[in-house]
Each structure stands twice: as structure tokens, then as C-alpha cells.
Amino acid sequence: QVQLVESGGGLVQAGGSLRLSCAASGSISSINDMGWYRQAPGNQREFVERVTSSGTTIFDASVKGRFTISKDNAKNTVYLQMNSLKPEDTAVYYCKLRQKGYDSWGQGNQDTVSS
């Protein structure tokens, strides 16, 4: 069983920055993907950015040049540095770990960007 605990985020003005963290615990494989998704009110959950166990990062075009994902393999923790935030980035942000074909999700944290 895998547990994901998210922290960070909150309320920030447009143009500001936030940093999210997600710590995984439990039965963690050395081969996994960890990443971030978000869901705005009335919208479906959407992909933001992820990092593979080899360190390859994949991101959505909407966050290119603004968001950066990183991972501490020793701590099984993934981070999302969000800069130049826009009001449209307001959403609940979820951490996800995929390993052996299974997905585990964090509890989600509300991040709000005011204009």
C-alpha cells in the first residue's frame, strides 16, 4: 500500500510563486513515475507535469517555462515549483504515483491565485 502526503501551496497573488511537495511512503518501487495533476471547479482533472524514475520530465504546454518538477529519490518525494502564477492556475492540485500499473493519489490541496 502507498500513501502520498502533500504539503505546500495556498493563496498567492498573480505573478507569485508556490512550491508543492508530495512524500510517498509504503511499498515504493524503484521504478515509478510521480507527478502532478490539477482540477479546477467544473473541470475535469488534468495533467500538469510528471517525472519518471530515470529523471525524464514531461509537462503540459500550459505550464511550460513556469512550473518545474523535481524529485528526491532518496526521500520518495516530488516537488512542483510554480512560478509566474496566473489566476487560471487556481485548482486543487493532486500528486500521483504510478508503479507496476497502479496509480496512487494524494489528498489534494487547494491552490488559489488571486488577480
PDB file of all heavy atoms in Angstrom, residues 2-30:
ATOM      1  N   VAL A   2       0.408   2.262  -0.703  1.00  0.00           N
ATOM      2  CA  VAL A   2       1.169   3.502  -0.848  1.00  0.00           C
ATOM      3  C   VAL A   2       0.370   4.650  -0.261  1.00  0.00           C
ATOM      4  O   VAL A   2      -0.840   4.753  -0.458  1.00  0.00           O
ATOM      5  CB  VAL A   2       1.472   3.770  -2.338  1.00  0.00           C
ATOM      6  CG1 VAL A   2       2.132   5.131  -2.511  1.00  0.00           C
ATOM      7  CG2 VAL A   2       2.357   2.669  -2.911  1.00  0.00           C
ATOM      8  N   GLN A   3       1.053   5.512   0.461  1.00  0.00           N
ATOM      9  CA  GLN A   3       0.434   6.743   0.960  1.00  0.00           C
ATOM     10  C   GLN A   3       1.190   7.932   0.392  1.00  0.00           C
ATOM     11  O   GLN A   3       2.422   7.932   0.347  1.00  0.00           O
ATOM     12  CB  GLN A   3       0.470   6.798   2.497  1.00  0.00           C
ATOM     13  CG  GLN A   3      -0.309   5.708   3.189  1.00  0.00           C
ATOM     14  CD  GLN A   3       0.459   4.398   3.275  1.00  0.00           C
ATOM     15  OE1 GLN A   3       1.668   4.388   3.501  1.00  0.00           O
ATOM     16  NE2 GLN A   3      -0.239   3.292   3.077  1.00  0.00           N
ATOM     17  N   LEU A   4       0.439   8.918  -0.020  1.00  0.00           N
ATOM     18  CA  LEU A   4       1.015  10.155  -0.547  1.00  0.00           C
ATOM     19  C   LEU A   4       0.510  11.309   0.298  1.00  0.00           C
ATOM     20  O   LEU A   4      -0.702  11.479   0.457  1.00  0.00           O
ATOM     21  CB  LEU A   4       0.616  10.371  -2.010  1.00  0.00           C
ATOM     22  CG  LEU A   4       1.042   9.296  -3.006  1.00  0.00           C
ATOM     23  CD1 LEU A   4       0.469   9.591  -4.386  1.00  0.00           C
ATOM     24  CD2 LEU A   4       2.551   9.204  -3.077  1.00  0.00           C
ATOM     25  N   VAL A   5       1.426  12.088   0.822  1.00  0.00           N
ATOM     26  CA  VAL A   5       1.065  13.225   1.654  1.00  0.00           C
ATOM     27  C   VAL A   5       1.592  14.495   1.003  1.00  0.00           C
ATOM     28  O   VAL A   5       2.799  14.655   0.811  1.00  0.00           O
ATOM     29  CB  VAL A   5       1.637  13.082   3.079  1.00  0.00           C
ATOM     30  CG1 VAL A   5       1.289  14.310   3.903  1.00  0.00           C
ATOM     31  CG2 VAL A   5       1.082  11.819   3.730  1.00  0.00           C
ATOM     32  N   GLU A   6       0.677  15.369   0.698  1.00  0.00           N
ATOM     33  CA  GLU A   6       1.028  16.622   0.031  1.00  0.00           C
ATOM     34  C   GLU A   6       1.154  17.751   1.043  1.00  0.00           C
ATOM     35  O   GLU A   6       0.478  17.764   2.077  1.00  0.00           O
ATOM     36  CB  GLU A   6      -0.042  16.982  -0.986  1.00  0.00           C
ATOM     37  CG  GLU A   6      -0.258  15.927  -2.069  1.00  0.00           C
ATOM     38  CD  GLU A   6      -1.433  16.267  -2.958  1.00  0.00           C
ATOM     39  OE1 GLU A   6      -1.789  17.461  -3.017  1.00  0.00           O
ATOM     40  OE2 GLU A   6      -1.990  15.360  -3.586  1.00  0.00           O
ATOM     41  N   SER A   7       1.975  18.719   0.710  1.00  0.00           N
ATOM     42  CA  SER A   7       2.106  19.919   1.531  1.00  0.00           C
ATOM     43  C   SER A   7       2.519  21.077   0.643  1.00  0.00           C
ATOM     44  O   SER A   7       2.913  20.893  -0.514  1.00  0.00           O
ATOM     45  CB  SER A   7       3.140  19.706   2.644  1.00  0.00           C
ATOM     46  OG  SER A   7       4.412  19.403   2.091  1.00  0.00           O
ATOM     47  N   GLY A   8       2.417  22.281   1.232  1.00  0.00           N
ATOM     48  CA  GLY A   8       2.758  23.465   0.475  1.00  0.00           C
ATOM     49  C   GLY A   8       1.530  24.059  -0.189  1.00  0.00           C
ATOM     50  O   GLY A   8       0.407  23.604   0.003  1.00  0.00           O
ATOM     51  N   GLY A   9       1.747  25.060  -1.013  1.00  0.00           N
ATOM     52  CA  GLY A   9       0.656  25.694  -1.716  1.00  0.00           C
ATOM     53  C   GLY A   9      -0.109  26.652  -0.825  1.00  0.00           C
ATOM     54  O   GLY A   9       0.319  27.027   0.252  1.00  0.00           O
ATOM     55  N   GLY A  10      -1.285  27.088  -1.320  1.00  0.00           N
ATOM     56  CA  GLY A  10      -2.109  28.026  -0.575  1.00  0.00           C
ATOM     57  C   GLY A  10      -2.616  29.137  -1.453  1.00  0.00           C
ATOM     58  O   GLY A  10      -3.085  28.894  -2.569  1.00  0.00           O
ATOM     59  N   LEU A  11      -2.524  30.352  -0.940  1.00  0.00           N
ATOM     60  CA  LEU A  11      -3.051  31.529  -1.631  1.00  0.00           C
ATOM     61  C   LEU A  11      -1.891  32.449  -2.012  1.00  0.00           C
ATOM     62  O   LEU A  11      -1.025  32.736  -1.183  1.00  0.00           O
ATOM     63  CB  LEU A  11      -4.032  32.268  -0.727  1.00  0.00           C
ATOM     64  CG  LEU A  11      -4.553  33.623  -1.230  1.00  0.00           C
ATOM     65  CD1 LEU A  11      -5.380  33.429  -2.490  1.00  0.00           C
ATOM     66  CD2 LEU A  11      -5.355  34.304  -0.142  1.00  0.00           C
ATOM     67  N   VAL A  12      -1.906  32.911  -3.249  1.00  0.00           N
ATOM     68  CA  VAL A  12      -0.857  33.797  -3.727  1.00  0.00           C
ATOM     69  C   VAL A  12      -1.435  34.746  -4.758  1.00  0.00           C
ATOM     70  O   VAL A  12      -2.449  34.440  -5.404  1.00  0.00           O
ATOM     71  CB  VAL A  12       0.312  32.971  -4.334  1.00  0.00           C
ATOM     72  CG1 VAL A  12      -0.122  32.273  -5.614  1.00  0.00           C
ATOM     73  CG2 VAL A  12       1.549  33.821  -4.553  1.00  0.00           C
ATOM     74  N   GLN A  13      -0.804  35.890  -4.923  1.00  0.00           N
ATOM     75  CA  GLN A  13      -1.242  36.838  -5.947  1.00  0.00           C
ATOM     76  C   GLN A  13      -0.676  36.433  -7.302  1.00  0.00           C
ATOM     77  O   GLN A  13       0.351  35.750  -7.393  1.00  0.00           O
ATOM     78  CB  GLN A  13      -0.792  38.243  -5.590  1.00  0.00           C
ATOM     79  CG  GLN A  13      -1.528  38.858  -4.412  1.00  0.00           C
ATOM     80  CD  GLN A  13      -1.174  40.318  -4.205  1.00  0.00           C
ATOM     81  OE1 GLN A  13      -0.067  40.748  -4.523  1.00  0.00           O
ATOM     82  NE2 GLN A  13      -2.117  41.088  -3.673  1.00  0.00           N
ATOM     83  N   ALA A  14      -1.335  36.877  -8.341  1.00  0.00           N
ATOM     84  CA  ALA A  14      -0.860  36.609  -9.695  1.00  0.00           C
ATOM     85  C   ALA A  14       0.572  37.101  -9.849  1.00  0.00           C
ATOM     86  O   ALA A  14       0.931  38.182  -9.365  1.00  0.00           O
ATOM     87  CB  ALA A  14      -1.763  37.291 -10.713  1.00  0.00           C
ATOM     88  N   GLY A  15       1.383  36.282 -10.515  1.00  0.00           N
ATOM     89  CA  GLY A  15       2.792  36.590 -10.673  1.00  0.00           C
ATOM     90  C   GLY A  15       3.669  36.004  -9.587  1.00  0.00           C
ATOM     91  O   GLY A  15       4.904  35.995  -9.717  1.00  0.00           O
ATOM     92  N   GLY A  16       3.057  35.515  -8.533  1.00  0.00           N
ATOM     93  CA  GLY A  16       3.799  34.957  -7.418  1.00  0.00           C
ATOM     94  C   GLY A  16       4.173  33.512  -7.639  1.00  0.00           C
ATOM     95  O   GLY A  16       3.978  32.947  -8.729  1.00  0.00           O
ATOM     96  N   SER A  17       4.713  32.907  -6.577  1.00  0.00           N
ATOM     97  CA  SER A  17       5.200  31.533  -6.656  1.00  0.00           C
ATOM     98  C   SER A  17       4.666  30.700  -5.502  1.00  0.00           C
ATOM     99  O   SER A  17       4.382  31.215  -4.420  1.00  0.00           O
ATOM    100  CB  SER A  17       6.736  31.515  -6.612  1.00  0.00           C
ATOM    101  OG  SER A  17       7.301  32.216  -7.699  1.00  0.00           O
ATOM    102  N   LEU A  18       4.556  29.414  -5.760  1.00  0.00           N
ATOM    103  CA  LEU A  18       4.215  28.439  -4.743  1.00  0.00           C
ATOM    104  C   LEU A  18       5.049  27.183  -4.981  1.00  0.00           C
ATOM    105  O   LEU A  18       5.447  26.908  -6.117  1.00  0.00           O
ATOM    106  CB  LEU A  18       2.732  28.056  -4.793  1.00  0.00           C
ATOM    107  CG  LEU A  18       1.714  29.089  -4.340  1.00  0.00           C
ATOM    108  CD1 LEU A  18       0.298  28.596  -4.645  1.00  0.00           C
ATOM    109  CD2 LEU A  18       1.856  29.376  -2.850  1.00  0.00           C
ATOM    110  N   ARG A  19       5.287  26.444  -3.912  1.00  0.00           N
ATOM    111  CA  ARG A  19       6.012  25.187  -4.030  1.00  0.00           C
ATOM    112  C   ARG A  19       5.221  24.085  -3.338  1.00  0.00           C
ATOM    113  O   ARG A  19       4.866  24.207  -2.174  1.00  0.00           O
ATOM    114  CB  ARG A  19       7.397  25.305  -3.403  1.00  0.00           C
ATOM    115  CG  ARG A  19       8.281  24.085  -3.630  1.00  0.00           C
ATOM    116  CD  ARG A  19       9.654  24.325  -3.057  1.00  0.00           C
ATOM    117  NE  ARG A  19      10.627  23.293  -3.417  1.00  0.00           N
ATOM    118  CZ  ARG A  19      11.229  22.502  -2.545  1.00  0.00           C
ATOM    119  NH1 ARG A  19      10.978  22.626  -1.248  1.00  0.00           N
ATOM    120  NH2 ARG A  19      12.116  21.600  -2.946  1.00  0.00           N
ATOM    121  N   LEU A  20       4.956  23.030  -4.085  1.00  0.00           N
ATOM    122  CA  LEU A  20       4.239  21.881  -3.569  1.00  0.00           C
ATOM    123  C   LEU A  20       5.205  20.729  -3.332  1.00  0.00           C
ATOM    124  O   LEU A  20       6.178  20.565  -4.064  1.00  0.00           O
ATOM    125  CB  LEU A  20       3.157  21.430  -4.549  1.00  0.00           C
ATOM    126  CG  LEU A  20       2.176  22.487  -5.057  1.00  0.00           C
ATOM    127  CD1 LEU A  20       1.149  21.842  -5.983  1.00  0.00           C
ATOM    128  CD2 LEU A  20       1.502  23.199  -3.909  1.00  0.00           C
ATOM    129  N   SER A  21       4.908  19.954  -2.308  1.00  0.00           N
ATOM    130  CA  SER A  21       5.689  18.757  -2.019  1.00  0.00           C
ATOM    131  C   SER A  21       4.754  17.573  -1.879  1.00  0.00           C
ATOM    132  O   SER A  21       3.606  17.724  -1.452  1.00  0.00           O
ATOM    133  CB  SER A  21       6.477  18.917  -0.714  1.00  0.00           C
ATOM    134  OG  SER A  21       7.368  19.995  -0.760  1.00  0.00           O
ATOM    135  N   CYS A  22       5.245  16.413  -2.224  1.00  0.00           N
ATOM    136  CA  CYS A  22       4.469  15.188  -2.092  1.00  0.00           C
ATOM    137  C   CYS A  22       5.413  14.069  -1.670  1.00  0.00           C
ATOM    138  O   CYS A  22       6.318  13.709  -2.422  1.00  0.00           O
ATOM    139  CB  CYS A  22       3.780  14.844  -3.401  1.00  0.00           C
ATOM    140  SG  CYS A  22       2.940  13.243  -3.392  1.00  0.00           S
ATOM    141  N   ALA A  23       5.194  13.556  -0.483  1.00  0.00           N
ATOM    142  CA  ALA A  23       6.040  12.498   0.053  1.00  0.00           C
ATOM    143  C   ALA A  23       5.303  11.171  -0.025  1.00  0.00           C
ATOM    144  O   ALA A  23       4.169  11.055   0.460  1.00  0.00           O
ATOM    145  CB  ALA A  23       6.425  12.803   1.486  1.00  0.00           C
ATOM    146  N   ALA A  24       5.948  10.195  -0.626  1.00  0.00           N
ATOM    147  CA  ALA A  24       5.370   8.866  -0.744  1.00  0.00           C
ATOM    148  C   ALA A  24       5.962   7.941   0.302  1.00  0.00           C
ATOM    149  O   ALA A  24       7.156   7.996   0.606  1.00  0.00           O
ATOM    150  CB  ALA A  24       5.625   8.305  -2.144  1.00  0.00           C
ATOM    151  N   SER A  25       5.118   7.081   0.845  1.00  0.00           N
ATOM    152  CA  SER A  25       5.584   6.092   1.813  1.00  0.00           C
ATOM    153  C   SER A  25       4.843   4.790   1.584  1.00  0.00           C
ATOM    154  O   SER A  25       3.838   4.750   0.878  1.00  0.00           O
ATOM    155  CB  SER A  25       5.362   6.584   3.245  1.00  0.00           C
ATOM    156  OG  SER A  25       3.988   6.795   3.490  1.00  0.00           O
ATOM    157  N   GLY A  26       5.367   3.735   2.189  1.00  0.00           N
ATOM    158  CA  GLY A  26       4.769   2.425   1.996  1.00  0.00           C
ATOM    159  C   GLY A  26       5.598   1.591   1.045  1.00  0.00           C
ATOM    160  O   GLY A  26       6.814   1.696   1.013  1.00  0.00           O
ATOM    161  N   SER A  27       4.931   0.793   0.250  1.00  0.00           N
ATOM    162  CA  SER A  27       5.610  -0.102  -0.676  1.00  0.00           C
ATOM    163  C   SER A  27       5.916   0.642  -1.975  1.00  0.00           C
ATOM    164  O   SER A  27       5.090   0.713  -2.875  1.00  0.00           O
ATOM    165  CB  SER A  27       4.727  -1.321  -0.957  1.00  0.00           C
ATOM    166  OG  SER A  27       5.371  -2.209  -1.846  1.00  0.00           O
ATOM    167  N   ILE A  28       7.121   1.195  -2.039  1.00  0.00           N
ATOM    168  CA  ILE A  28       7.524   2.018  -3.181  1.00  0.00           C
ATOM    169  C   ILE A  28       8.538   1.261  -4.025  1.00  0.00           C
ATOM    170  O   ILE A  28       9.575   0.839  -3.537  1.00  0.00           O
ATOM    171  CB  ILE A  28       8.134   3.354  -2.730  1.00  0.00           C
ATOM    172  CG1 ILE A  28       7.220   4.068  -1.742  1.00  0.00           C
ATOM    173  CG2 ILE A  28       8.431   4.231  -3.940  1.00  0.00           C
ATOM    174  CD1 ILE A  28       5.892   4.469  -2.301  1.00  0.00           C
ATOM    175  N   SER A  29       8.220   1.133  -5.300  1.00  0.00           N
ATOM    176  CA  SER A  29       9.148   0.507  -6.232  1.00  0.00           C
ATOM    177  C   SER A  29      10.197   1.520  -6.676  1.00  0.00           C
ATOM    178  O   SER A  29       9.949   2.723  -6.690  1.00  0.00           O
ATOM    179  CB  SER A  29       8.384  -0.011  -7.447  1.00  0.00           C
ATOM    180  OG  SER A  29       9.265  -0.386  -8.477  1.00  0.00           O
ATOM    181  N   SER A  30      11.356   1.026  -7.040  1.00  0.00           N
ATOM    182  CA  SER A  30      12.402   1.929  -7.546  1.00  0.00           C
ATOM    183  C   SER A  30      12.065   2.434  -8.942  1.00  0.00           C
ATOM    184  O   SER A  30      12.634   3.408  -9.414  1.00  0.00           O
ATOM    185  CB  SER A  30      13.756   1.214  -7.570  1.00  0.00           C
ATOM    186  OG  SER A  30      13.695   0.081  -8.417  1.00  0.00           O
TER     187      SER A  30
END
